[in-house]
């Protein structure tokens, strides 16, 4: 008898299954889409920029990041060989 009771229930629809997904997932999807849209807008603006100014801004940003990595020694693993070599020439915070 239980078999017939299970066979008569309707399977969940796609809308019912979507309602079971937590709200946090949808918020993360919305944030991800907003970030992608923002990146596209920024890249379109950068493409119209003067290349010398763009090069100067990128150089200054990379230099600041590089010196921070050398001083703080918080570089990612892939940059450790280069930072290790450069740390011999520049001051660092030292061991904590």
């Amino acid at each position: 008898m239980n078999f017939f009771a299970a066979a008569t229930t309707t399977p969940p629809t796609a809308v019912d299954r979507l309602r079971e997904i937590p709200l946090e997932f949808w918020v993360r999807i919305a944030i991800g889409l907003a970030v992608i849209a923002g990146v596209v807008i920024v890249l379109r603006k950068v493409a119209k920029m003067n290349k010398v100014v763009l090069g100067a801004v990128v150089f200054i940003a990379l230099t600041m990041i590089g010196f921070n990595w050398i001083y703080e020694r918080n570089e990612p693993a892939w940059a450790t060989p280069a930072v290790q070599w450069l740390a011999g020439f520049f001051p660092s915070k030292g061991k904590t």
Side-chain angles (χ1 to χ4, degrees):
M1 188 71 174
N2 288 338
F3 173 75
F4 292 116
T8 59
T9 60
T10 59
T13 63
V15 175
D16 293 333
R17 291 179 61 187
L18 286 175
R19 286 187 185 138
E20 294 174 3
I21 298 175
L23 180 62
E24 180 183 349
F25 172 78
W26 296 115
V27 169
R28 287 184 183 208
I29 292 292
I31 291 172
L33 290 174
V35 166
I36 290 172
V39 166
V40 168
I41 290 170
V42 167
L43 287 177
R44 286 185 177 183
K45 296 291 183 185
V46 166
K48 295 177 185 176
M49 220 173 156
N50 184 346
K51 302 306 178 206
V52 173
V53 173
L54 176 62
V57 169
V58 168
F59 175 75
I60 290 170
L62 292 178
T63 301
M64 290 174 62
I65 291 170
F67 279 123
N68 184 19
W69 285 352
I70 292 169
Y71 184 76
E72 298 288 340
R73 291 311 308 258
N74 59 355
E75 74 276 359
W78 58 266
T80 300
V83 172
Q84 181 68 35
W85 182 77
L86 288 171
F89 299 102
F90 295 106
S92 66
K93 185 194 272 187
K95 297 182 181 188
T96 57

